[in-house]
Amino acid sequence: MDKQRSKDGRGDPSSRPRFVQIADEIRGQIATGALKEHDILPSERSLSEQYDVSRMTGRRALEALETEGLVYSADRRGRFVSPQRLKYNVSNMVSFVSTAQADDVDLKIEVVETVETVADGKLAALFEQPVGSPIIAYTRLFHSGGHPIFIETEYLVADRFPGFLHYDLRQSTTQILESSFATTASTGDIVIRMRGVKTDEAQLLSISNTHTVIELEQVIRDEAGVPFCFGHQVWRGEMAEFSAHAIVAGRSVGKV
Amino acid sequence: MDKQRSKDGRGDPSSRPRFVQIADEIRGQIATGALKEHDILPSERSLSEQYDVSRMTGRRALEALETEGLVYSADRRGRFVSPQRLKYNVSNMVSFVSTAQADDVDLKIEVVETVETVADGKLAALFEQPVGSPIIAYTRLFHSGGHPIFIETEYLVADRFPGFLHYDLRQSTTQILESSFATTASTGDIVIRMRGVKTDEAQLLSISNTHTVIELEQVIRDEAGVPFCFGHQVWRGEMAEFSAHAIVAGRSVGKV
DNA sequence: TGTATAAACTGGTATATACCAGATGTGTTT
DNA sequence: AAACACATCTGGTATATACCAGTTTATACA
């Protein structure tokens, strides 16, 4: 039924593993433009026929491209060429939404959940408020080109922004805060790290639960230095790149 | 020879895949401290015996933990519990080396390569210098706790820093530039992205070539705004987290 | 024309097996 | 005590097979 292959596929000791060679060929096709953004890639089974390898080897080639970020996978539909990365300037906190729209990125925002809750220990410390003080929280899913790119959950001090949840959250919240609550983002502290995706996140982002994401946390402060917003974003790692502009402060005295 | 198992291991339809369950158990052992930093994990083969699954299933569990960053693997020696992340504040460009040492991180620097070359198109544009102008480049491998954590390649305008390569590069180069060349980092532009590792990088960082890394690029400017250093770092993604302090500049006129 | 059904895909999970090459440990010989 | 050889450990690569559960498409039926 199956074609005959040498027992362990190690016919030529060409040093580089077979699956790497196959991945390289596909990578080339993406580079030359033979495969374009969101184009479907050959399936595991068709790859295995095409290159006369087992399905598992074809799969490994595709998985390699997936961890590289060149390819994304949609459960049981196939694998596709990843689009260009979205650029996110974390220093320009004015609004990711407005800057993205100015850059002609088609951005769609889906409100996943809105809740009125109270501050736990962590949030209380962040906001310099007592534990149990009212907090507004909302989770939104951001799409670009019809594909989910990141989940954002933001926490606000409720007393400061009464009736906030009645606004349409499918727009820049920074803008709502600025125009309706006279609160402007002035400084922010941001943390970026790479980590494994959690099950619920994977579902929302429609990626497999063995994938890696980029987690971005930020505390936003007003002109008086008072923190009023805590944001938490989970990005599909291959979909974005983050930039920042740093200014060396306190350049004065003997800092080692 | 092998124990009898049901044909496809789908004995109970407990919804969650077997390899996820095994990964969860190990994750628990790490969380409770039963497995500590740099402790060796059970091997693929011993896992398969312990849980009565095939080696491939045990492997998938370990690979899942690896992509999460909880575990790192040393080729053909075994898999180990990842240490705590290193914290890198990209806004504080004064020197990663000095801040890390102040934080009691034992940092070892290995000089991989030093070359005197000329500017290609990209570097010329960055430095606002003609193509072909002399450039100093050096690559260093940073270790912490005896483990490689990132590779850094820095490019300097050669004319500005004569004899730079005669200094001992196993220290903070920012400090050399400051004390010996009266050049101080004042501002910087940083880009952070996640991507697949390249073969040569994987070798230096001793990770498998199917892994994901974090790439960090920065252009450093002096007080006059003249760019004098271009840095390029490749981090083991699970080993670090990056923070930044942002100040919203140009808060003045009608910026949308 | 629309809808239900079935067939033909897709990747996901799982088993079993085989051999390779590097790393490590255990002796034995020099 | 150092050198060598060997067995045994590790993960890495590869094949073959099987069944599952969604997605898509073609087909037949109302």
Side-chain angles (χ1 to χ4, degrees):
Chain A
M1 200 130 214
D2 211 337
K3 282 145 258 146
Q4 270 307 109
R5 298 190 202 105
S6 67
K7 209 54 179 292
D8 65 349
R10 214 169 285 273
D12 65 309
S14 50
S15 74
R16 268 160 66 261
R18 196 80 186 87
F19 80 90
V20 175
Q21 297 174 29
I22 296 172
D24 285 348
E25 283 207 30
I26 300 173
R27 203 178 292 112
Q29 289 165 27
I30 295 173
T32 60
L35 285 166
K36 284 185 290 274
E37 291 191 6
H38 299 296
D39 276 3
I40 191 161
L41 294 164
S43 74
E44 298 175 356
R45 285 172 177 88
S46 70
L47 260 193
S48 80
E49 280 186 27
Q50 195 180 322
Y51 289 95
D52 191 33
V53 293
S54 77
R55 183 183 154 201
M56 278 303 170
T57 304
R59 184 204 191 86
R60 291 218 52 191
L62 292 168
E63 277 178 341
L65 296 168
E66 225 176 306
T67 59
E68 276 176 45
L70 246 71
V71 160
Y72 68 93
S73 135
D75 191 48
R76 270 159 265 249
R77 289 203 302 121
R79 289 190 175 85
F80 306 84
V81 179
S82 296
Q84 251 216 317
R85 287 173 191 264
L86 261 157
K87 286 159 180 42
Y88 181 11
N89 186 338
V90 295
S91 298
N92 180 6
M93 283 182 317
V94 182
S95 163
F96 170 66
V97 179
S98 3
T99 18
Q101 281 166 352
D103 284 358
D104 231 2
V105 178
D106 87 296
L107 210 63
K108 224 164 282 175
I109 305 175
E110 180 190 332
V111 180
V112 177
E113 198 188 12
T114 63
V115 280
E116 295 181 67
T117 177
V118 290
D120 60 7
K122 192 191 166 194
L123 283 173
L126 274 170
F127 287 134
E128 299 157 15
Q129 294 274 319
V131 175
S133 52
I135 296 285
I136 293 166
Y138 51 92
T139 303
R140 303 184 295 174
L141 180 59
F142 287 70
H143 297 260
S144 174
H147 299 273
I149 42 167
F150 73 95
I151 309 163
E152 181 185 56
T153 304
E154 282 187 327
Y155 301 88
L156 297 171
V157 180
D159 293 342
R160 190 162 174 178
F161 310 105
F164 182 83
L165 289 182
H166 297 121
Y167 287 85
D168 183 2
L169 297 179
R170 288 169 301 175
Q171 57 174 310
S172 161
T173 50
T174 320
Q175 222 147 343
I176 301 176
L177 295 178
E178 202 160 332
S179 55
S180 302
F181 296 93
T183 300
T184 318
S186 177
T187 62
D189 288 307
I190 297 140
V191 178
I192 296 175
R193 69 177 78 85
M194 194 184 111
R195 65 159 171 83
V197 71
K198 290 168 188 164
T199 317
D200 53 331
E201 296 165 350
Q203 215 148 21
L204 280 173
L205 294 173
S206 62
I207 54 178
S208 102
N209 60 1
T210 55
H211 261 66
T212 317
V213 291
I214 286 190
E215 181 174 56
L216 192 148
E217 293 179 338
Q218 56 184 349
V219 182
I220 304 176
R221 295 192 171 78
D222 62 18
E223 268 106 348
V226 178
F228 63 91
C229 178
F230 174 66
H232 178 263
Q233 302 174 357
V234 177
W235 287 73
R236 286 175 64 159
E238 79 279 10
M239 291 287 193
E241 72 176 31
F242 304 89
S243 64
H245 180 73
I247 299 158
V248 178
R251 257 262 117 277
S252 44
V253 267
K255 234 196 176 180
V256 185
Chain B
M1 202 125 214
D2 212 336
K3 280 146 260 147
Q4 270 307 109
R5 298 191 203 106
S6 68
K7 209 56 180 290
D8 66 348
R10 214 168 286 273
D12 66 311
S14 51
S15 75
R16 272 163 59 261
R18 197 81 186 87
F19 81 90
V20 175
Q21 296 174 29
I22 297 172
D24 284 347
E25 283 208 30
I26 299 173
R27 203 179 291 112
Q29 288 166 27
I30 295 173
T32 60
L35 286 167
K36 284 184 290 276
E37 291 190 5
H38 299 298
D39 277 1
I40 192 161
L41 293 164
S43 74
E44 298 175 358
R45 284 171 179 88
S46 70
L47 260 192
S48 79
E49 280 186 26
Q50 194 179 322
Y51 289 94
D52 192 33
V53 293
S54 76
R55 184 184 152 199
M56 277 303 169
T57 304
R59 184 204 190 84
R60 291 218 51 190
L62 292 168
E63 278 179 340
L65 296 167
E66 227 177 307
T67 58
E68 276 176 46
L70 245 71
V71 160
Y72 68 92
S73 132
D75 191 47
R76 270 159 264 249
R77 287 202 304 120
R79 289 188 175 86
F80 307 85
V81 179
S82 296
Q84 252 215 315
R85 287 172 191 266
L86 262 159
K87 286 158 180 45
Y88 180 12
N89 187 335
V90 294
S91 299
N92 180 5
M93 283 181 318
V94 182
S95 162
F96 170 67
V97 179
S98 1
T99 18
Q101 280 166 351
D103 284 358
D104 231 1
V105 176
D106 87 296
L107 210 63
K108 223 164 283 174
I109 304 175
E110 181 190 330
V111 180
V112 177
E113 198 188 11
T114 63
V115 279
E116 294 181 67
T117 176
V118 290
D120 59 9
K122 191 191 165 195
L123 283 174
L126 273 170
F127 287 134
E128 299 155 15
Q129 294 274 321
V131 174
S133 53
I135 296 286
I136 293 166
Y138 51 92
T139 303
R140 303 184 296 173
L141 180 60
F142 288 69
H143 297 260
S144 173
H147 300 273
I149 42 169
F150 73 95
I151 309 164
E152 181 184 57
T153 305
E154 284 187 327
Y155 302 87
L156 297 171
V157 180
D159 293 342
R160 190 162 170 177
F161 310 105
F164 181 84
L165 289 181
H166 295 121
Y167 286 86
D168 184 2
L169 298 179
R170 288 168 303 176
Q171 56 175 311
S172 160
T173 51
T174 320
Q175 222 148 344
I176 300 176
L177 294 177
E178 203 162 330
S179 55
S180 302
F181 296 94
T183 299
T184 318
S186 177
T187 62
D189 288 307
I190 297 141
V191 178
I192 296 176
R193 69 177 77 86
M194 195 183 110
R195 64 158 173 85
V197 70
K198 291 169 188 165
T199 317
D200 53 331
E201 296 165 349
Q203 215 148 22
L204 279 173
L205 293 172
S206 61
I207 55 178
S208 101
N209 60 359
T210 56
H211 262 65
T212 317
V213 291
I214 286 191
E215 181 174 57
L216 191 149
E217 293 179 339
Q218 56 185 347
V219 183
I220 304 176
R221 295 192 171 78
D222 62 18
E223 269 105 347
V226 178
F228 63 91
C229 179
F230 174 66
H232 176 265
Q233 301 173 359
V234 178
W235 287 73
R236 287 174 65 159
E238 80 279 9
M239 292 288 193
E241 73 177 29
F242 304 88
S243 63
H245 180 71
I247 299 160
V248 177
R251 257 257 122 278
S252 44
V253 268
K255 238 203 174 173
V256 187

